[in-house]
Structure formats: structure tokens, C-alpha cells
Amino acid sequence: MALYKEQTLRIYNSLTGKKEVFEPLHQGHVGMYVCGPTVYSKVHLGNCRTFMSFDMVYRYLVHLGYRVRYVRNITDAGHLEDDADQGEDKISKKARLEKIEPMEVVQRYTVDFHNILRKFNLLPPSIEPTATGHIVEQIETIKLILQKGYAYEKNGSVYFDVLKFNKDYDYGKLSGRRIEDMIANTRDLAAQDEKNNPQDFALWKRAEPQHIMRWPSPWGEGFPGWHLECTVMSTKYLGETFDIHGGGMDLKFPHHECEIAQAEAGYGKSPVRYWMHANMLTLNGRKMAKSTGNNLLPDEIFSGENEILSKPYSPAVVRFFMMQAHYTSILDLSDEALQAAEKGYHRLMDAMELVEGLPESPASEVEVAQWRQRCYDAMNDDFNSPVLIAQLFEAVRWIHQVSEGKIRLSGEDKLLLGATLNGFVLDVLGLEKAISGSGQGQTLDGVMALLIELRNKARTDKDYTTSDRIRDALGELGIQLKDGKEGTTYSL
């Protein structure tokens, strides 16, 4: 029997502001859409956290036995500077500055995006559509919204009529904004724009002579508005109503608000049952920003080539660090936090390696089945990964106690413990052993074997000053020596 039939998953729905029991539109099947990157620069760490959060959501739904169609788009046109309806296309601007074709920009940074997510062990989505691959569908949707009377054409551009839409629907229901407040805050800008009202947003923009990326349309050459692509691609692949729509908290307004408006105007129904938003990542207590230098790229963390952190950290450690906070909470990255995460990660991995060799007893002194359900309870509570991790470390404590002969574990419970750990650590949290490249792992093993041999000789010679110095110096580097019956081993 599929696990989802015996587990009750609750999701915090940004649209209603409360946790709701998850009931997919079609039993056993889930449709999920997540807003992907605009590929004009290297993917930054905050974006990675969002995609990692929804990778965890995807993994848990699959773990529960759902068949999931996961759609995550690539924005390769139509996203203007400052997320506005004026200014230059972000990809076109990069192409102009670097004197290359826009699609060269798109290719370069799409490859970078995929490479980084692969290092973080993210699963690929079921479908990864692009905005430029769906121009025809976007034009057809604009025609439909015009036909329904919720848009107007002006000078070769088409704008969504927010005030007219708001008479029949509720514009602002996702973000909690009132149209009256929006009007009051934008009244001074009304004369500066060709829109009927400043709240209106572009469905199609006329291309100025210098605009590189352009397509023919019934309204002249131009390009689609940024918000339209997600409405078009999500409904094309998941239907006019689907289960989950995810993205960063910064997209709630205007992007997701506009998505809802476009779908309701075109199809007459609310497009999404559960809206989910991941929160931001800060660095040393401050917002990440290139302009202030308070910024880190993923590869800079992996290589250690930065002036913020004291050492390199593996993708697996960074992923574990991200999983230690709930996806809806602000998470602050710092050297101290990554060091703590690294120790926790290795302690968890070391414990998992011990499970198979644990001694078996006729009866258990720990309740593994109840612990297993507590792991599910954590994830069923809106994907509460930090509570899950706390439960995993409860198992780590048991594993060491059994290994040291302090408590007993039956063979049946040992199998259940190992399977549950593998399921949640590897399949759901998506953690994997850090792999050292270029033979570095073998080199480290060789160096450590030599140091352990020197320390053992010092202890035999009763040169405790030297033996303690070796142990303490390695400890300061994050390498722990463990003396046991089988000899001395080390862990990172």
C-alpha cells in the first residue's frame, strides 16, 4: 500500500494563511510547478535554497508513493530590469554588454544552473519548459484574456486591466494587498505611463528598435510579459487547476499575484490549490548583495576561494545546513553555522555506517516503530525538516549506545532503523556522502594513516606531549580521532 494512504500530510497554504490537509486533485497523482531561474547570471545561493526546498518537497511526495509531475521553468525572455514593465530585458542586456547572442547567455547560465543543482544533488524536474519555447501559447492566452475583456491594447503593447478584473475577482488575495492602497501609492506615476492605470501589467510589450529579442504577434513585433509564461506553462502541463505552486517569498507579489489574475481572467477558475513560498537566505545577518560584497556563490563555498569563510565546505554539508531550517523561515549563513553543520553531517553519516555492524539482541530497549512514525510526523507537518533532523539524531544516539553495549536492539528493529535512516537521510533530505575529487580522499587517508602511526609510536614511547599535540591539532582542523578496540580511526 502506498505510504500516502497511511500518512496525513499538512501544507501551509500561502493563499489561506493556514496549514491544510493535502488532498491532491487526482488521487495518487500530484502536479507541482515551481518558478525557475532567469538565466542571465550565475545562480546565487538564495535561489539554490528555494530550489533545494522544493526538491525536498518533491522527494517526500515521491517517497510517500505519489506519482508527481514536477514542472520548473527556465525564463529566457521577457524578464525586464527591476521586475518591471519598463527597461531592458535582463538577458538582452547581458548579451549587449558581452557582445554575444542572447541565446549564448541563456545556454551559458542554464548549464551553470544545472551544474550547481547537480552538485547539490537535486533531482531534475519532470519537465523544464522555456519561455521562448512557448511564445505561440502565450500569444493565444493573451487573445483569450482580451476576448474576456480583461486586457487592452495600446501602441502595440497589451496590458492586463487590474481594476476591471478586480470588479469580478479579488486582485491581491495572495499577497494581502488592497487595490485601494495600491492606487493611493502609485497615483503620482499615472501620467508617466501608457497604461490606463499604474497597477496594470504587461501581457505583451512592443519591442523598441534596440530590443534584440522579438517575435511577431497580432499587435506587432514584441515579447511577452514576465508573468505570462508561468501561467501558460503551468496550465499547459498541469491543467487549468493543479495542486502545488512554489517559489521564493519575493515572488508572491507581483509575480504570483499576476499569475492568479491571468489564469482567473482567462479560464474563470483559481489555478492553484496550495501555494507554497520559501524564505530568504541571509549572510552573516545581512541581506546578500553583490554591491556590498556581502555575497557568496555556491562554487566559492565549495572551493574556499572567498574572503568570508575560513575553509571550503562540500555541497552535501551546505545542503545539510539548509535542511536544518524550515523552508518558510529566514536562514542565516555564517562560517560558524557551516562548521556546526559539517560536524553534524559527519556524525550522522558515521552513525549510518555503523548500523549494519550493530550487535543484535532478542529484544529491543528502544521503540523504533514509534520513532519511525515521529519522523513521518515531522515531514507531515508542512515538511518540517529541522524536527526530522532532531529525530534522526535521536537514532544516532541509540546507534552509539548499541555499539557501546549500553542498550539492546533486535535484528528486526535494526533493519527497520537502517531502512528508515536511509529513506529519510538519502531519499527525502537528499544528502549524500561528500566525494573528494582528483584522488584527494585517498591522499587524506594516507596522510592520516601516517599521523596515526606517529601518534601510536609516541604513546608507546610514553611521549604523551607529542601524542596529545597530534590529536589536538587535528581536532582544531575538524578531524576527530577515535581510539577503539580495532585501533584508531578518524572522522571529519
Side-chain angles (χ1 to χ4, degrees):
M1 185 173 74
L3 279 169
Y4 65 79
K5 293 182 179 179
E6 59 187 53
Q7 303 293 334
T8 302
L9 172 62
R10 289 177 172 82
I11 295 178
Y12 179 81
N13 190 344
S14 299
L15 187 62
T16 61
K18 60 185 180 182
K19 288 180 189 176
E20 300 174 358
V21 173
F22 178 61
E23 296 176 347
L25 200 60
H26 304 288
Q27 187 180 20
H29 294 74
V30 178
M32 182 169 81
Y33 185 90
V34 173
C35 291
T38 301
V39 282
Y40 72 101
S41 64
K42 289 188 174 182
V43 62
H44 67 74
L45 214 51
N47 285 146
C48 290
R49 185 196 179 193
T50 295
F51 301 131
M52 208 178 291
S53 295
F54 288 104
D55 179 67
M56 175 195 66
V57 169
Y58 177 38
R59 285 171 173 274
Y60 187 58
L61 292 170
V62 170
H63 177 81
L64 289 178
Y66 286 110
R67 290 188 62 184
V68 186
R69 177 176 287 177
Y70 174 22
V71 183
R72 187 186 65 214
N73 72 301
I74 295 285
T75 298
D76 56 355
H79 195 169
L80 304 187
E81 297 171 287
D82 301 320
D83 301 344
D85 287 336
Q86 303 295 329
E88 196 170 358
D89 182 291
K90 292 184 176 185
I91 290 164
S92 294
K93 182 178 180 180
K94 190 75 169 216
R96 179 175 54 79
L97 292 173
E98 297 194 11
K99 295 182 173 57
I100 58 176
E101 283 289 326
M103 284 301 124
E104 286 184 77
V105 173
V106 167
Q107 178 70 7
R108 176 183 300 170
Y109 295 114
T110 300
V111 169
D112 169 74
F113 173 66
H114 288 151
N115 285 341
I116 292 297
L117 295 200
R118 197 176 297 114
K119 289 177 182 177
F120 278 130
N121 197 32
L122 271 72
L123 299 174
S126 315
I127 304 172
E128 193 172 51
T130 65
T132 56
H134 295 76
I135 298 296
V136 172
E137 292 91 337
Q138 292 183 74
I139 289 172
E140 291 304 310
T141 299
I142 295 170
K143 288 180 183 176
L144 180 61
I145 296 173
L146 279 166
Q147 181 187 327
K148 296 287 183 73
Y150 294 113
Y152 56 90
E153 187 267 340
K154 189 172 285 188
N155 301 328
S157 295
V158 181
Y159 296 100
F160 190 92
D161 193 330
V162 169
L163 295 186
K164 189 167 184 184
F165 171 81
N166 197 59
K167 290 178 182 177
D168 301 322
Y169 297 92
D170 181 11
Y171 184 78
K173 62 183 175 183
L174 179 67
S175 59
R177 302 188 182 212
R178 296 172 66 250
I179 195 74
E180 295 82 3
D181 296 335
M182 292 186 233
I183 292 170
N185 292 334
T186 57
R187 192 167 285 132
D188 293 341
L189 301 173
Q192 303 172 19
D193 207 321
E194 65 181 7
K195 303 173 187 176
N196 288 351
N197 296 285
Q199 293 75 37
D200 298 347
F201 57 89
L203 298 174
W204 186 265
K205 283 289 289 181
R206 177 187 70 254
E208 300 297 336
Q210 69 275 15
H211 199 94
I212 306 171
M213 303 176 78
R214 55 176 68 215
W215 291 266
S217 81
W219 316 285
E221 284 202 341
F223 53 93
W226 172 41
H227 312 304
L228 187 62
E229 61 176 282
C230 288
T231 294
V232 167
M233 291 188 279
S234 62
T235 55
K236 175 172 181 175
Y237 296 110
L238 300 174
E240 292 177 4
T241 300
F242 57 94
D243 297 304
I244 297 172
H245 193 315
M249 200 78 78
D250 57 320
L251 296 179
K252 189 183 286 188
F253 187 89
H255 187 56
H256 291 162
E257 199 74 74
C258 293
E259 277 191 61
I260 293 174
Q262 290 165 159
E264 290 182 337
Y267 312 119
K269 60 181 79 169
S270 188
V272 178
R273 293 161 63 84
Y274 303 88
W275 281 93
M276 297 178 65
H277 290 93
N279 217 323
M280 67 187 292
L281 184 71
T282 57
L283 179 59
N284 290 324
R286 295 185 294 129
K287 184 178 179 180
M288 287 195 189
K290 291 180 184 176
S291 56
T292 62
N294 194 54
N295 190 58
L296 270 178
L297 292 172
D299 274 334
E300 293 173 337
I301 297 181
F302 308 153
S303 68
E305 294 175 1
N306 63 80
E307 297 179 358
I308 296 174
L309 304 177
S310 63
K311 53 180 272 191
Y313 295 94
S314 72
V317 165
V318 179
R319 180 168 181 131
F320 181 65
F321 163 74
M322 300 274 197
M323 293 292 109
Q324 288 179 305
H326 192 265
Y327 75 92
T328 61
S329 64
I330 294 174
L331 174 61
D332 186 53
L333 185 143
S334 67
D335 199 39
E336 294 77 12
L338 285 173
Q339 285 180 17
E342 186 174 55
K343 288 178 182 176
Y345 166 76
H346 286 297
R347 181 169 167 76
L348 180 59
M349 290 300 171
D350 288 347
M352 288 180 68
E353 288 186 5
L354 286 174
V355 173
E356 192 174 337
L358 289 177
E360 298 176 12
S361 301
S364 289
E365 292 180 315
V366 289
E367 297 176 330
V368 176
Q370 290 89 331
W371 164 80
R372 174 181 180 271
Q373 185 55 48
R374 289 198 298 274
C375 291
Y376 279 105
D377 290 343
M379 289 303 290
N380 290 339
D381 182 19
D382 193 31
F383 310 97
N384 201 325
S385 57
V387 173
L388 170 64
I389 289 171
Q391 291 296 334
L392 296 177
F393 276 99
E394 177 73 1
V396 169
R397 186 171 65 85
W398 290 346
I399 289 166
H400 285 291
Q401 288 177 328
V402 174
S403 178
E404 294 161 8
K406 294 178 180 177
I407 60 172
R408 292 177 296 171
L409 187 68
S410 71
E412 184 180 347
D413 276 347
K414 186 174 103 171
L415 287 174
L416 183 61
L417 181 68
T420 305
L421 276 171
N422 281 325
F424 281 104
V425 174
L426 306 180
D427 297 343
V428 175
L429 294 181
L431 299 175
E432 59 180 356
K433 277 283 189 182
I435 300 170
S436 299
S438 306
Q440 290 175 357
Q442 292 180 344
T443 301
L444 179 60
D445 286 342
V447 170
M448 288 305 302
L450 176 61
L451 287 170
I452 289 170
E453 182 183 332
L454 291 172
R455 179 170 173 265
N456 288 340
K457 186 177 186 307
R459 294 168 77 187
T460 301
D461 295 342
K462 297 185 179 180
D463 181 3
Y464 299 117
T465 302
T466 300
S467 68
D468 289 349
R469 185 181 175 194
I470 292 172
R471 181 199 62 205
D472 295 343
L474 289 172
E476 288 175 8
L477 295 171
I479 301 172
Q480 305 299 319
L481 294 182
K482 298 177 184 177
D483 296 317
K485 295 177 183 177
E486 305 296 323
T488 302
T489 59
Y490 77 94
S491 64
L492 297 173

